[in-house]
């Protein structure tokens, strides 16, 4: 390791010296040498478990806290790029309160954690467009070594900011983003105001929905955003979705919305959930379309789909309901009623946030808090052997429920050797790093 030869980080401003950043970017930063100096931090949770701690159990890998008080830290969703291309810098968000809905004047701080420098928190900016479950969509831009993107609010509308974490050069896109295409030049997005009203915890406060009184407005739905020109185009409207009948029941005046957008690995199509109110709950269809509009496919029409991930450009893994197979993780082909097979039958038995490791031999997933002890399990599943390895179970106190719950949302480093989670088991949500390299090789 030669990181000590590079420049320094200014603790006061959070700025990153160019020579040090590029040196880190050019090196194999995530190596044993980087983490071997953090032995005491790796050992802390294991010592707590051995001492009878009720906060964590079943640890099978080294774990260390990346953030700590003052403040509460988290990254949020599991399908965003949290690690930079070198796996040295890890994004996060900081807030000074918990256990209530965000208000329009609530601001969060954005930052990145330097894993090679004592887990130093480097401030990057702030945002006034955020939620507990998905934050402000902070993530690295695919194909960029130094740029991140996140949502904000400006002049009575939601926008997105592209920031170079080295130069601090920033530009504003006049639309928010939800998910990025692999080319880093295109995004898809939805109506975050409508989402805030119909699915609290996922939308943003501060901007009213112009079509709040309409069940399926033709002006709202999914937009494609050009991150170069800043232009946006509606490619799937709520009216389009409501025009496709649901076999089990008529829609009536039920309000529709879209959520959980994700672009396919080849950048040609994207998947999302079409949801609508049904009594006191909602129903769901998993839908795909071309990134440039058209060819709408109802991949799972059976009324319930939860978390999902693309396995490749033609297949989607999702926790869903199927009339012949009940509920479980199912692999769908990207086609109408595209059921292929059940994954993890009898092993992956609960809804969770799923991600394929590089090579598609392993799946990383978690669970919601179990009844009684309220432990959230984070685990790996080996597909060929139908084998589950528990990485750890982390306590989630009762106060972390509903809109402001703290799901672990496990996320992978770019090389698949490290996992980060959000967890409140030590008295407030913080970000933790798990080393899975000895399991996955």
């Amino acid at each position: 390791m030669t990181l000590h030869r590079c420049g320094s980080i200014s603790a006061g401003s959070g700025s990153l010296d160019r020579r040090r950043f590029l040196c880190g970017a050019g090196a194999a930063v995530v190596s044993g040498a980087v983490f071997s100096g953090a032995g005491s931090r790796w050992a802390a949770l294991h010592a707590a478990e051995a001492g009878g701690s009720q906060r964590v159990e079943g640890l099978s890998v080294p774990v260390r806290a990346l953030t700590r008080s003052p403040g509460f830290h988290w990254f949020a969703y599991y399908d965003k790029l949290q690690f930079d291309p070198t796996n040295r810098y890890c994004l996060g968000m900081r807030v000074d309160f918990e256990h209530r809905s965000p208000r329009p004047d609530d601001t969060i701080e954005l930052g990145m954690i330097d894993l090679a420098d004592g887990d130093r928190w480097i401030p990057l900016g702030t945002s006034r467009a955020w939620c507990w479950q998905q934050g402000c969509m902070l993530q690295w831009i695919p194909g960029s070594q130094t740029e991140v993107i996140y949502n904000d609010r400006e002049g009575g509308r939601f926008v997105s900011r592209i920031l170079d974490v080295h130069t601090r050069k920033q530009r504003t896109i006049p639309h928010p983003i939800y998910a990025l295409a692999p080319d880093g030049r295109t995004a898809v997005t939805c109506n975050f105001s409508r989402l805030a009203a119909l699915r609290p915890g996922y939308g943003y406060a501060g901007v009213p929905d112009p079509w709040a009184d309409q069940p399926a407005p033709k002006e709202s739905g999914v937009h494609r955003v050009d991150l170069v020109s800043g232009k946006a185009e509606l490619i799937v409207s709520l009216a389009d979705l409501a025009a496709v009948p649901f076999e089990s029941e008529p829609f009536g005046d039920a309000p529709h919305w879209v959520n959980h957008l994700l672009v396919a690995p080849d950048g040609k199509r994207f998947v999302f959930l079409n949801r609508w109110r049904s009594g006191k709950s909602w129903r769901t269809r998993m839908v795909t379309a071309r990134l440039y509009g058209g060819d709408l496919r109802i991949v799972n029409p059976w009324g319930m789909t939860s978390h999902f991930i693309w396995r490749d450009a033609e297949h989607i893994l999702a926790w869903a309901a199927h009339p012949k197979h009940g509920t479980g993780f199912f692999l769908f082909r990207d086609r109408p009623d595209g059921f292929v097979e059940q994954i993890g039958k009898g092993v992956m038995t609960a809804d969770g946030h799923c991600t394929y490791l590089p090579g598609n031999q392993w799946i990383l997933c978690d669970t919601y808090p179990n009844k009684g002890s309220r432990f959230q399990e984070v685990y790996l599943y080996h597909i060929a052997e139908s084998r589950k390895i528990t990485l750890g179970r982390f306590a989630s106190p009762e106060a972390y429920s509903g809109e402001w719950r703290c799901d672990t949302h496990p996320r992978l480093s770019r090389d698949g050797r490290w996992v980060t989670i959000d967890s409140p088991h030590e008295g407030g949500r913080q970000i933790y790093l798990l080393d899975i390299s000895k399991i996955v090789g």
Side-chain angles (χ1 to χ4, degrees):
M1 283 296 294
T2 57
L3 290 176
H4 61 279
R5 300 177 187 170
C6 303
S8 61
I9 293 176
S10 169
S13 65
S15 62
L16 191 61
D17 176 83
R18 176 177 176 81
R19 187 163 177 263
R20 176 168 188 159
F21 187 91
L22 293 179
C23 177
V29 193
V30 177
S31 67
V34 168
F35 294 97
S36 62
S40 60
R41 297 198 302 279
W42 281 117
L45 285 182
H46 289 276
E49 182 186 24
S53 170
Q54 299 303 306
R55 299 172 299 178
V56 60
E57 66 179 28
L59 287 177
S60 63
V61 295
V63 181
R64 85 174 192 243
L66 295 184
T67 58
R68 55 197 63 83
S69 61
F72 308 101
H73 302 78
W74 83 118
F75 178 74
Y77 229 46
Y78 66 103
D79 56 3
K80 315 297 179 192
L81 291 177
Q82 184 181 12
F83 288 81
D84 81 308
T86 71
N87 295 309
R88 173 174 175 170
Y89 299 100
C90 182
L91 297 172
M93 298 169 291
R94 179 189 177 279
V95 71
D96 59 6
F97 69 90
E98 295 187 293
H99 311 310
R100 68 166 173 82
S101 302
R103 299 168 183 152
D105 58 345
D106 286 326
T107 299
I108 57 171
E109 180 181 273
L110 317 177
M112 65 182 183
I113 304 157
D114 187 346
L115 303 181
D117 188 18
D119 301 334
R120 181 197 296 267
W121 174 262
I122 305 171
L124 296 177
T126 61
S127 173
R128 293 191 301 155
W130 64 279
C131 58
W132 287 113
Q133 296 309 306
Q134 297 181 321
C136 61
M137 299 297 178
L138 175 65
Q139 57 196 288
W140 294 92
I141 295 180
S144 173
Q145 294 284 330
T146 62
E147 287 186 321
V148 300
I149 190 169
Y150 60 93
N151 290 337
D152 200 356
R153 193 174 80 248
E154 177 183 281
R157 67 184 298 171
F158 297 126
V159 300
S160 54
R161 317 274 194 199
I162 296 177
L163 172 71
D164 188 304
V165 300
H166 159 58
T167 66
R168 300 305 170 105
K169 182 179 179 181
Q170 177 179 281
R171 60 188 179 93
T172 298
I173 305 297
H175 308 280
I177 59 95
Y178 198 109
L180 302 183
D183 64 3
R185 299 167 57 89
T186 312
V188 287
T189 194
C190 67
N191 182 339
F192 285 96
S193 301
R194 190 176 189 88
L195 198 52
L198 296 173
R199 187 69 170 101
Y202 292 85
Y204 305 149
V207 179
D209 178 13
W211 307 284
D213 60 345
Q214 300 181 39
K218 66 180 184 302
E219 300 89 351
S220 184
V222 179
H223 284 76
R224 185 185 68 255
V225 181
D226 187 319
L227 299 180
V228 178
S229 69
K231 296 180 179 179
E233 178 184 356
L234 182 68
I235 50 177
V236 180
S237 74
L238 295 179
D240 293 336
L241 296 168
V244 181
F246 180 59
E247 295 183 3
S248 299
E249 62 186 30
F251 293 128
D253 292 328
H256 285 249
W257 72 96
V258 296
N259 201 358
H260 299 313
L261 290 69
L262 191 60
V263 181
D266 65 356
K268 295 180 179 179
R269 299 181 62 81
F270 68 99
V271 60
F272 63 96
L273 299 184
N274 165 213
R275 285 180 164 162
W276 63 95
R277 287 291 177 193
S278 179
K280 295 182 179 181
S281 186
W282 62 79
R283 306 297 292 272
T284 304
R285 298 185 293 196
M286 183 166 66
V287 186
T288 66
R290 287 199 297 256
L291 189 60
Y292 285 82
D295 194 15
L296 208 64
R297 304 172 185 175
I298 310 297
V299 177
N300 181 23
W302 303 111
M304 196 285 280
T305 303
S306 186
H307 304 101
F308 57 79
I309 199 74
W310 288 93
R311 188 191 74 176
D312 51 50
E314 297 183 353
H315 296 88
I316 304 163
L317 176 70
W319 179 266
H322 190 275
K324 295 182 180 179
H325 302 279
T327 56
F329 276 106
F330 301 117
L331 190 64
F332 293 87
R333 188 179 296 276
D334 181 13
R335 65 187 182 193
D337 191 9
F339 172 81
V340 176
E341 62 178 329
Q342 185 168 357
I343 302 296
K345 184 175 182 179
V347 181
M348 298 177 69
T349 57
D351 189 8
H353 307 89
C354 51
T355 300
Y356 281 94
L357 272 67
N360 294 339
Q361 297 182 29
W362 294 89
I363 296 171
L364 172 67
C365 199
D366 66 351
T367 67
Y368 287 110
N370 59 9
K371 294 182 180 179
S373 61
R374 289 188 57 83
F375 277 96
Q376 301 183 106
E377 182 180 23
V378 181
Y379 67 90
L380 288 169
Y381 175 75
H382 192 270
I383 300 169
E385 298 177 0
S386 189
R387 175 170 56 99
K388 183 173 79 169
I389 298 176
T390 297
L391 303 179
R393 290 182 287 271
F394 304 86
S396 179
E398 188 70 36
Y400 294 88
S401 301
E403 177 187 344
W404 42 82
R405 68 188 181 276
C406 184
D407 302 340
T408 63
H409 290 150
R411 304 162 297 265
L412 284 169
S413 60
R414 300 287 185 106
D415 60 5
R417 295 168 60 83
W418 313 92
V419 172
T420 55
I421 63 170
D422 304 326
S423 178
H425 65 272
E426 292 190 297
R429 69 187 70 208
Q430 300 293 348
I431 303 172
Y432 296 83
L433 183 68
L434 289 68
D435 176 2
I436 63 170
S437 59
K438 290 186 178 180
I439 296 176
V440 301

